[in-house]
Amino acid sequence: QVQLVQSGAEVKKPGASVKVSCKTSGYTFTGYYMHWVRQAPGQGLEWMGWINPDTGGTNFAQKFQVRVTMTRDTSISTVNMELSSLISDDTAIYYCARAHSIGGYSYGYYDYWGQGTLVTVSS
Amino acid sequence: DIVMTQSPDSLDVSLGERATINCKSSQSVLYSSNNKNYLAWYQQKPGQPPKLLIYWASTRESGVPDRFSGSGSGTDFTLTISSLQAEDVAVYYCQQYYSSHTFGQGTRLEIK
């Protein structure tokens, strides 16, 4: 069965960086784009960007473009999201979410989600 | 960016009654070349990630009970729960994937 298992909670100081990993299993890793979505405490969902695990190509929301990096390691079927220059407003649960694919074409709705990783930014 | 606006923000419905949640996009999410609306609905329960309910505005995800249905086209969409069950208490989000990806602010559904 498809599984997305994320790394554990992190506490970071303002100005630091955080790296969250998402280890996948149960499907062809390179066949599905992976997106990252975050959710501040008690708030809604915010799309951050995606990575194509096959090519490593990425696309980010303008808001995060200068601060986010997404990478993949095909040998361990894992994608990573790194966010730099953290501020308190970056305190949120970060989710990886697999985008549905049909015939090799990726559509932007999410059929599987990781369990979420809480990132707390506090001095 | 396409802005998604849901209404109401919260909703109290009696068990067995119908629940209706609306979602309006700031521009059409209907792609004319394939006549598909790039609109999905998710359910999120406390402490859990969102769960896909509906995609292409009206296609139910496998395993989702048939009391959940989606309708609408262009800029106006509706998620309907035909007969509310206790386990349907959650926050519901619409999402467009026509141009980038944006979510509505969420609608909290509770039992009256």
Side-chain angles (χ1 to χ4, degrees), chain A residues 26-60:
Chain A
Y27 71 96
T28 302
F29 175 69
T30 54
Y32 296 80
Y33 283 38
M34 193 69 75
H35 293 231
W36 288 87
V37 175
R38 77 176 187 179
Q39 186 170 38
Q43 302 301 308
L45 302 166
E46 182 176 31
W47 179 74
M48 299 181 68
W50 57 251
I51 181 168
N52 177 346
D54 187 27
T55 65
T58 55
N59 178 252
F60 306 130

Side-chain angles (χ1 to χ4, degrees), chain A residues 85-108:
Chain A
S85 303
L86 292 168
I87 61 175
S88 58
D89 285 352
D90 292 320
T91 294
I93 297 173
Y94 290 75
Y95 294 102
C96 56
R98 193 187 82 163
H100 189 68
S101 175
I102 302 174
Y105 192 87
S106 181
Y107 295 98

